[in-house]
Structure formats: structure tokens, C-alpha cells
Amino acid sequence: MVGKILIVDDVATNRIVFKVKLGAACYRPLMAADGASCLRLAREERPDLVLLDLMLPDMPGIEVLRALRADPVTADVPVVVISATGAPAQRIEAFEAGADDFLIKPIDDSLLLARLRNLMRAHESLAELGARGATLQALGLAERGTPFVPLGRVALVTDRPEIAILWRKDLQGVLPDHLMTLTRAEALAAGTDEPSAPADVFVIDADSAGTGSGLQMMSELRSRQPTRHAAVMLVQTAHNPDQMAVAFDMGASDVVEQGISPVEMGLRLKALIRRKRRGDALRASVQDGLRLAVIDPLTGLYNRRYALPRLAAIADRADAVQGAFAVMVIDIDRFKLVNDQYGHAAGDAVLVEVAQRVTENLRASDLVARIGGEEFLVALPSAALAQARATAERLCRAIAAQPFLLPDGSNIPVTISIGLAVCDNAADCPGEPVAGLVERADRALMDSKADGRNKVTVSGSAAA
């Protein structure tokens, strides 16, 4: 889909120039000559970004920006303010109103396009995560995050002590978040030695180790798992549009010049922290949803959706090394009577305890999953018949050894029946489909049930 950019400027010549530049870059330009048209088009067309001039005939551009941010439909759309002047008070007002950046005319073409690409990529990534999270929430597989938001962590990265002192002094009065100063070596070490990123935002002295050193530093942080999602602000010694454009295309969250107003820098950092925290929350929501999609919520075991592909991978591994593996299908004996006589809460307690005892008597590499109401699947990688039979019999003993405690304080005896199927690729079943192996184990389970329960039956082909 072609990105849509809404150009808002009261001067027709400016709109046309932007339209030509953006059209040549394969964007779809939309144009508005006043604030009212901007707000209407923003709601109707849902642009991917808004280029907003501050001088409009019907209302100040700042008011338009505030209206965009107040409208749930357009609240998250990136907005780049453009102006012929860049007075500090004007810039601060724009960032307070929710601007993502503030560019002064005339704007270097490469810098403009790089910044637009940068903001649209970030917006698209968050929107994609949000859509996944919304889908999982609709399916009941993810919970909404809590409203509590802790203070952010900002790492000031420079090898020049005087710059570190200056930054800390400037930001302490305008940023309530935690500030830490790190050398480049310390920042990189934190990206490998710590389990999580030491900062939400890294503010990097772009030229402290030579031209381009900030880009290299950013690339290192982006390549490491703990710091991959941290925001990065590069601080340049002097205005360099070409280097800024490269930085944005390489993934910098923001690029500013040394000497920027502390208030503006604080506002920019607050915006980066908010964006980073939102991304963290969305990623956590998606991960939780994916986890819940493959986990049985009652027992904490994997479910059928996860177990069957995992079993297929175990089978592929055994086939590749000409090894053996085993599959058990386990059923709780007379489980319906537990529910009928003691209630479903008692039945749930029995399921949880069975899951715990089975897990405790298996290896860490073994797979155990709940695949039905009272039915469980166990896979034993690298297990031949003798070992698999011994494990299955141990599971029967573990369940029957002690009565189960119910929520009302009473105790009841519980037993399980097991059907066991073994595949030895060097002997009896090279290339046997996983579904066939599970079916063999299921038939063996039926034999255990018919033969008195609380026992292990090995499928005929595996026992032969």
C-alpha cells in the first residue's frame, strides 16, 4: 500500500512543491489549505503522516495539532511541523502539543524524506503490534496492560566527561526520569551482560569518537537483544543534513544538534520514552497472547495446538539420527464420576494434580500436554521400548501412590491408564506419520481401559 501524506499549508506553491517531491518518492500526497480541511481529511483519509505548517488562515497550526491529538482516530498519526522560523518558544509549544518533529524551511530533500520514512516505519510497527494485540484480546488470549507507568530510564552515552556533566545538568530540571551517564564501552557492555536493557532511551554523543561513530554505536545497540527495542537519540556537534538522513534511515529515533534547548530535549525524550513503553506493552501483550494460545490455562501444560507440531519435530529428529522415541496417551480413570460426585471444582483439582505429578516424573526434554478433557499426551525423545515402558509404569505408580486432596478437604484415590507406542527408526517404523503413532497409542489406551484400568498397554506393532 502506498503511504498517504497529508500536506497542510496555506500557500499553494508550497503545497505543489511538496506534492511533486512526495509523488516522486512514490507517496500519495493529500493537500489541505487550512485547519478545517486538515481535520476533515485526516479523519476521512486516515493518512500515514501529516506535514503541518503552523501559519494557517482559519486557525493556528498548534490548535490543529492539538485537535489531531485529541481525536482517537488521528491521535497516533505522526505529525511533522514545518515552519519558516524556529523560535525556541514556538518549537517547545509544538512538542508540548504532540509534534513528532519540527523542521525549518527550506528543508533538505534527503533529510525530509528520510525523516518521513523513519516516522512512518515506527508508526507502522506500532500499528501492526497493536492490531495483533487487539486480535488476541478479542479472542480472549491477551489482557490489557495496567495503567501504572514507571519512570523512564535515560542513558547519556559519551566519552567526553564535560558533555556528560552538561547533559545531566540540563536535563535534571526538565526530565523527571532516571538519568545515568555511560561511556561507550559501558553502554555496549550493558547490551550484552545484562538480562534487560539498562535504558529506555540512549542519548549518544554522535561525534565523540570521530565522525560516524554515533551511527556505529547505534548499530551495535540495535544488533543486541537487550537493547534492540530501546530508543536512540543522536546528538550531533553541528548541523549535518546528510548524516541526519543516514541516521534516520538506519533507525535512529531522533537526531538533534548540540546546544538544543534543554526543555525541547526533555520533551523529545519524554515522547521517545512514551513510544518505547507503548511498544514494550504491545509486544508483551502479543507475547502473552501467543503463550496463552498454546498453554492450557487450567494445568499450565501445553495444549494440542502446540503438542502436535512439537511431536512432529521430535519425530523428524529421530528419523534424522535413526533413533527411537515414544508417545503415550494418558487418560484419568473414571474421571466423570469425580465431576458427578464431587463437582467440577474437584475435577479441576484432580486435573491440576495429575499434570503436576506427571511433569515431576518426566525429563526436562520430554513433552507433556493436555489434549482433551482428561486426556494427556507425553512424548519421550530418544527413548526405546524398555525405557518408555519403565517411564509409563512409573507414571501410573506416581498417580496411584497417594490419594488426591480435594477443595473440600476430602481425599479420593485416582488412577490413570496409558497407551504407549514406540517408533524405532532403525527397526520397525522408519518414516511412520506422527498421526499414525498417536493413533497406535490411543488404541493401546483403549486396551488398558478394557483390561481393568490403572495399567500400561504397549501398541502391538511396537511390542513385536
Side-chain angles (χ1 to χ4, degrees), residues 7 110 112 115 167 253 261 270 278 310 349 358 382 444 451:
I7 304 162
S110 61
L112 172 65
R115 187 52 164 153
W167 285 352
S253 309
S261 159
K270 288 178 184 177
R278 183 184 174 210
R310 171 74 183 280
V358 168
S382 304
D451 198 28

Side-chain angles (χ1 to χ4, degrees), residues 5-34:
I5 298 179
L6 175 57
I7 304 162
V8 187
D9 197 306
D10 65 328
V11 179
T13 304
N14 292 340
R15 295 196 301 272
I16 293 171
V17 169
F18 278 124
K19 178 181 179 181
V20 171
K21 291 179 180 179
L22 297 177
C26 298
Y27 293 111
R28 179 188 165 194
L30 307 171
M31 295 190 290
D34 53 50

Side-chain angles (χ1 to χ4, degrees), residues 334-344 346-347:
R334 297 185 175 89
F335 182 73
K336 186 176 184 300
L337 292 179
V338 177
N339 280 328
D340 291 345
Q341 294 183 13
Y342 300 96
H344 288 283

Side-chain angles (χ1 to χ4, degrees), residues 141 289-311 367-372 375-377:
L141 297 175
L290 294 175
R291 180 183 59 81
L292 290 173
V294 298
I295 294 294
D296 171 48
L298 176 63
T299 63
L301 299 178
Y302 291 114
N303 61 20
R304 179 185 293 270
R305 181 181 295 172
Y306 176 89
L308 295 183
R310 171 74 183 280
L311 180 57
L367 167 68
V368 56
R370 182 186 176 198
I371 59 173
E375 198 167 69
F376 300 83
L377 177 78

Side-chain angles (χ1 to χ4, degrees), residues 266-278:
L267 290 169
R268 286 175 178 263
L269 289 172
K270 288 178 184 177
L272 294 182
I273 292 170
R274 286 195 301 270
R275 188 187 306 165
K276 194 265 183 181
R277 290 291 175 82
R278 183 184 174 210

Side-chain angles (χ1 to χ4, degrees), residues 398-430:
I399 298 301
Q402 294 182 343
F404 281 52
L405 178 65
L406 300 183
D408 65 1
S410 61
N411 292 280
I412 62 170
V414 175
T415 61
I416 58 173
S417 297
I418 300 179
L420 173 64
V422 178
C423 178
D424 189 341
N425 285 279
D428 62 350
C429 65

